[in-house]
Amino acid sequence: MAAERDGGGDGQVPVAGGDVADAGGTGRAARTGARPAGPRPRSAAARPRPADDGSTRADRARRVAHVLRGQVLRGAFPGGVLPDERALIAEFATSRNTVREALGLLRDEGLVERRRGVGTVVVGRAYEHPLGELAGLAEVLQRYGTVVNEVRAARPVRPPASVARRLGLPEGSPAVYLERLRRVDGTPLSLDCTYLIPEVGEPLLALGRARLENRDVFELIENAAGMPLGSAEVSVRAVVADPATCGVLAMPAGGAVLAVDRLTRLADGRPADLEFLHLRGDRLTLRARLDRVRDGEPG
């Protein structure tokens, strides 16, 4: 009687999902050689099992999100559609809830969204800016779309003493101040505040706002002012944007920006251009190739 309650009493035993398998070879499938209808159950060894490493689900979701975020930002998903949940569960050997939590993190960042009948799709594109070459932001971004520089300020100023020192200007000397908002295909990406030495900045002011909106400053310095550039010193920090910057860049409150401090020198070594850039952390990726320095090699 117990056998009848568990499996039917005819040599069959239950398997995962409530299906019934023939234990003794006497069932209908064994007698006829026919394959049972429906998909064959996967063996326990073939099923991915969530890793039991003692971490919390939030930790596992964060690790999954790290990998997926990198793929999203590199454009690794053809057509902009992520694999479905079953594929992600198998790839990361984790649970459905962990995958959903990871996708939720990316959704909160504005990188993906869920669309009925399609799946999880990429909605937030990131643009790469190489650190290994001295190039203006517009020069780099024009390969991705239409770049527009909204000139918010362009005028002579008396710079702060710390700025004057870095530009090699005597205290109290004038400089030229430019402030521009950069957009690619209508999306705000960067708020740039630039101080220029007079012999570089004044020829740019004489060009008018139209030229400043349609050309990169580096290009104008070399072509309009006739002063070739040489090198730059760059530092980058990740900071939480203040409310005013979030408003200008159309970012969520509390969003992160990459704060770039760049001092560019002319070919003769003189400092000429000091920039304070605020790049949207969710839309721009700084990329560089770094080579290992061996003992005895110059650092």
Side-chain angles (χ1 to χ4, degrees), residues 50 126 147 189 195 202:
V147 180
L189 292 182
Y195 292 90
E202 289 172 359

Side-chain angles (χ1 to χ4, degrees), residues 2 19 53-54 68 80 92 108 123 130 135 154 191 222 245 271 283:
D19 295 332
D53 57 4
L68 292 177
F92 292 98
D108 292 343
V123 294
L191 180 61
E222 295 191 315
T245 300
R283 291 292 180 267

Side-chain angles (χ1 to χ4, degrees), residues 42 47-51 64 83-100:
R42 298 173 65 181
R47 298 189 188 104
R49 294 180 179 275
V64 172
D84 62 25
E85 286 184 354
R86 288 178 298 178
L88 294 176
I89 291 168
E91 178 179 352
F92 292 98
T94 192
S95 68
R96 183 180 302 274
N97 285 339
T98 297
V99 166
R100 289 181 174 177

Side-chain angles (χ1 to χ4, degrees), residues 21-41:
D22 189 353
T26 58
R28 185 173 64 86
R31 291 193 301 270
T32 64
R35 178 179 175 180
R40 298 178 64 180

Side-chain angles (χ1 to χ4, degrees), residues 134-145:
L134 181 55
L137 190 64
E139 292 177 298
V140 172
L141 295 179
Q142 64 186 358
R143 71 188 68 167
Y144 298 113

